[in-house]
Amino acid sequence: MMNCLQSWPEPVVRVQSLSESGIRAIPDRYIKPPSDRPGFENQEHVDIPVVDLKNLFSHDRTLHEETLKLISSACKEWGFFQAVNHGISHELMKRTREVWREFFNSPLEVKQEYANAPTTYEGYGSRLGVQKGAILDWSDYFFLHYLPVHLRNPSKWPSLPSSCRLLKAMSISLGLKEDHLQNAFGGEDIGACLRVNFYPKCPQPDLTLGLSSHSDPGGMTLLLPDHDIAGLQVRKNGNWITVKPVPNAFIVNVGDQIQVMSNAIYKSVEHRVIVNSVKDRVSLAFFCNPKSDLLIEPAKELVSEDRPALYSPMTFDEYRLYIRTYGPRGKTQVEFSGSNR
């Protein structure tokens, strides 16, 4: 299967170029089946949980435990929450979005110098998956490896990290030692990468998606959203809920690997991105992932006779090969792996 990841199956078309060409109808390649279309008239507007992190490492035990309970509840019930008072400069957040918007507004020939391939996806891209003739998403992106250092490709860097505090909080709230998840992910060799998403204006936003429905294959995701216009939707009780970003918050979500390690106490949640006809959007997703060759399996402390292991061991490299081959497909992968890992 690895051979199919050497090159794209057909010429890559930049969605931003399509958007700026003035077309009034999107090409058939971007039209989703009716069951997958946004259905704007049926959107539910419910806010996902907001967690204030200022007391996460407070010396006041009561305040600290209250914050852990909020994180635990959000991870169990939603798989998503918005984090405020996270300690990252609001000016830095704003400037980071601006810098990447400047990149996507650069001439095409400048961006093409960083064009990617499906071997690592690092660089400037416009599709996920290598199936010929697949229905595509209405977005371009820039993908970068941050950790481990040996995976970085300097030629693809035209530069961002975050702390592991939330991993520690999730470990504790699962009843594990605070460093359990980070150690299980590879300790200092933990994986980290960045995907910058650019969603151009679309003349027919009701027919397509900026990013198809999926759960994140890695461990945990920190999203810096575009605060000017909403686009992220989360699936809850069968309904699509549009997330309204809280000013200066990061959106945090559980990935498939934490679902596996927690033995499904915490669940990754299906989400997607809608587009609009009025304004381009930029968002940044920072992924915290296991070391690629480590076996990931439920924590032994969370397995019992009453709650047997729901997943058998699999490396992250083996796991993410699915999305790199087929692109985003709901929660098909983690649900399939629960019975076949």
Side-chain angles (χ1 to χ4, degrees):
M1 187 178 284
M2 288 302 294
N3 290 336
C4 72
L5 296 178
Q6 298 303 309
S7 60
W8 301 116
E10 50 218 348
V12 174
V13 176
R14 302 306 180 188
V15 178
Q16 185 178 6
S17 296
L18 285 175
S19 175
E20 293 174 352
S21 71
I23 59 171
R24 295 188 178 183
I26 62 175
D28 291 346
R29 292 294 306 276
Y30 299 92
I31 297 177
K32 304 293 182 182
S35 60
D36 293 343
R37 295 176 191 171
F40 290 98
E41 70 285 353
N42 297 320
Q43 286 180 37
E44 239 189 277
H45 291 271
V46 180
D47 291 335
I48 64 173
V50 177
V51 179
D52 190 328
L53 299 184
K54 69 182 176 186
N55 294 319
L56 186 56
F57 289 90
S58 170
H59 294 299
D60 185 319
R61 188 173 182 83
T62 301
L63 293 175
H64 170 72
E65 290 183 353
E66 283 177 0
T67 306
L68 289 178
K69 287 178 182 176
L70 290 171
I71 292 173
S72 179
S73 175
C75 290
K76 288 177 181 176
E77 300 299 323
W78 285 85
F80 268 83
F81 62 91
Q82 299 200 60
V84 297
N85 290 323
H86 39 66
I88 297 175
S89 159
H90 298 170
E91 183 59 34
L92 175 61
M93 296 167 72
K94 178 183 176 183
R95 182 60 187 143
T96 300
R97 280 191 297 260
E98 289 174 349
V99 165
W100 280 104
R101 187 176 287 280
E102 287 171 14
F103 171 80
F104 283 106
N105 287 332
S106 301
L108 181 59
E109 59 269 22
V110 173
K111 294 180 286 192
Q112 285 293 102
E113 294 177 13
Y114 304 100
N116 70 350
T119 44
T120 67
Y121 278 85
E122 193 162 20
Y124 176 51
S126 297
R127 66 176 292 165
L128 293 171
V130 292
Q131 287 194 306
K132 191 170 183 178
I135 297 175
L136 303 177
D137 290 334
W138 191 263
S139 60
D140 300 323
Y141 63 86
F142 204 105
F143 187 83
L144 291 171
H145 285 293
Y146 179 70
L147 292 174
V149 175
H150 74 267
L151 284 181
R152 293 186 202 172
N153 181 350
S155 68
K156 298 294 186 184
W157 281 69
S159 254
L160 233 145
S162 189
S163 74
C164 294
R165 287 185 171 184
L166 285 172
L167 273 185
K168 291 181 179 180
M170 288 182 184
S171 292
I172 295 168
S173 62
L174 284 166
L176 303 170
K177 293 181 178 178
E178 73 168 21
D179 58 356
H180 182 99
L181 289 177
Q182 182 166 349
N183 287 340
F185 275 22
E188 293 184 0
D189 290 326
I190 198 167
C193 49
L194 174 73
R195 176 182 154 123
V196 185
N197 306 294
F198 185 81
Y199 302 106
K201 291 180 292 186
C202 178
Q204 295 177 297
D206 55 322
L207 298 182
T208 191
L209 291 168
L211 186 56
S212 294
S213 172
H214 66 289
S215 57
D216 289 347
M220 178 179 67
T221 304
L222 298 176
L223 178 74
L224 176 59
D226 191 318
H227 286 100
D228 290 338
I229 190 163
L232 175 66
Q233 291 188 325
V234 174
R235 195 163 201 169
K236 177 73 169 172
N237 299 326
N239 298 315
W240 288 106
I241 295 169
T242 301
V243 176
K244 183 179 179 182
V246 172
N248 303 311
F250 281 100
I251 297 174
V252 182
N253 67 277
V254 171
D256 293 346
Q257 303 308 305
I258 284 184
Q259 175 170 325
V260 170
M261 288 185 179
S262 71
N263 207 24
I265 295 173
Y266 289 173
K267 292 182 175 66
S268 60
V269 170
E270 214 173 326
H271 52 287
R272 67 184 187 182
V273 177
I274 57 175
V275 291
N276 70 91
S277 60
V278 178
K279 192 169 184 179
D280 300 332
R281 292 179 59 252
V282 173
S283 67
L284 291 84
F286 187 81
F287 303 102
C288 182
N289 298 327
K291 188 170 180 284
S292 61
D293 58 356
L294 283 183
L295 285 174
I296 304 299
E297 59 187 323
K300 291 179 173 56
E301 298 90 331
L302 303 177
V303 174
S304 64
E305 190 173 329
D306 294 332
R307 191 182 182 88
L310 300 176
Y311 310 92
S312 54
M314 181 184 288
T315 68
F316 184 50
D317 254 353
E318 294 171 321
Y319 190 86
R320 66 180 169 187
L321 185 59
Y322 181 96
I323 195 169
R324 287 188 169 185
T325 303
Y326 301 107
R329 293 191 174 187
K331 285 205 68 174
T332 306
Q333 183 177 8
V334 73
E335 290 169 354
F336 176 81
S337 71
S339 56
N340 293 275
R341 276 171 76 123

